[in-house]
Amino acid sequence: MAVSDKAVEFLGNSLNTGRPIPGQSLTNSPDQPYKWEQPSEFVNTGEATTYVFGLLTEPETTSNLLLSITNGVSIIDLASIVLYSGFLEGKWNPDLMTLLMEPTMFMIMALAEKADIDYDLEAGDKDRPNEMSGDKAIETLQSGINELDKIRQMAVSRVNPQSVPQEVREVIEETELSPSLLQRVEEETQSKNLLGREE
């Protein structure tokens, strides 16, 4: 089997830049697994939350978090960094990491509020437009609905009945539709007297 020059060049560049070769992780010895390939240290949300709280309240970590928040890093980004680092260290699996996201964000927000620092929940929060008043929102929605109606009417006017074969049109016309099982069936009800008896 011949190896192309491009493949050799790619392999050489990968080795020179220190990047792993594709599939390299699959050739690691089972005796030396990565931390995340082993059973995680925490499997309980409560214990993991306590660990994260202890980690966040270490003086050095707290000062770095608050400095990052002051510099405009969002709470979601900080929580993601903390939790992903714990995943790489084998502290928890991806499922527990997802469950820890909300409590970790609340802990970081509490630290920021305690330090009286304004924070962004997610990147770009300050770039978002302010909320509209009720009347303005209704007016905007109505104009959007009107535009959609215009587009629909244009699309309907462009439909050519001849684009559907005659046989298909006949089958559609002959088809009888039964009511859906989810459709509310109207039943005649008898009026009841005040005591709840049927008349």
Side-chain angles (χ1 to χ4, degrees):
M1 176 171 129
V3 178
S4 70
D5 291 337
K6 286 185 178 181
V8 172
E9 182 181 339
F10 174 76
L11 185 59
N13 289 339
S14 293
L15 292 175
N16 290 338
T17 58
R19 290 183 6 205
I21 299 169
Q24 180 178 347
S25 66
L26 302 175
T27 62
N28 288 346
S29 169
D31 297 331
Q32 298 175 340
Y34 290 110
K35 296 271 190 187
W36 63 83
E37 294 176 327
Q38 301 173 9
S40 57
E41 184 177 332
F42 297 102
V43 293
N44 181 326
T45 309
E47 293 173 2
T49 303
T50 303
Y51 171 80
V52 171
F53 179 73
L55 182 69
L56 294 178
T57 54
E58 290 177 2
E60 185 178 342
T61 306
T62 303
S63 63
N64 288 337
L65 282 172
L66 295 177
L67 181 63
S68 297
I69 293 170
T70 304
N71 290 333
V73 179
S74 70
I75 299 295
I76 289 177
D77 292 338
L78 291 172
S80 298
I81 291 168
V82 169
L83 295 176
Y84 187 69
S85 299
F87 165 71
L88 292 178
E89 295 169 3
K91 300 292 183 190
W92 39 74
N93 63 18
D95 297 327
L96 186 56
M97 182 175 71
T98 303
L99 293 173
L100 290 173
M101 182 57 95
E102 185 178 1
T104 304
M105 289 173 56
F106 277 116
M107 286 184 251
I108 295 172
M109 289 186 317
L111 289 172
E113 289 172 2
K114 185 78 171 168
D116 200 27
I117 298 174
D118 289 334
Y119 56 85
D120 294 333
L121 195 55
E122 62 184 315
D125 270 354
K126 293 181 180 174
D127 301 335
R128 293 186 181 162
N130 294 334
E131 292 184 18
M132 290 187 262
S133 67
D135 293 337
K136 179 71 174 169
I138 291 171
E139 181 181 322
T140 303
L141 287 173
Q142 190 59 46
S143 68
I145 291 170
N146 292 341
E147 290 301 316
L148 286 174
D149 283 341
K150 289 178 187 176
I151 292 170
R152 187 181 60 196
Q153 289 171 358
M154 286 174 44
V156 168
S157 67
R158 292 182 184 167
V159 172
N160 182 359
Q162 302 303 322
S163 64
V164 179
Q166 180 64 30
E167 300 86 28
V168 174
R169 282 186 278 162
E170 290 174 1
V171 170
I172 290 173
E173 290 173 7
E174 294 172 1
T175 303
E176 292 185 25
L177 299 176
S178 60
S180 167
L181 294 175
L182 298 177
Q183 184 177 355
R184 181 178 286 172
V185 178
E186 298 288 332
E187 294 183 12
E188 292 183 17
T189 57
Q190 297 179 354
S191 61
K192 298 182 179 183
N193 62 16
L194 294 175
L195 299 175
R197 289 180 281 163
E198 292 184 8
E199 290 185 47

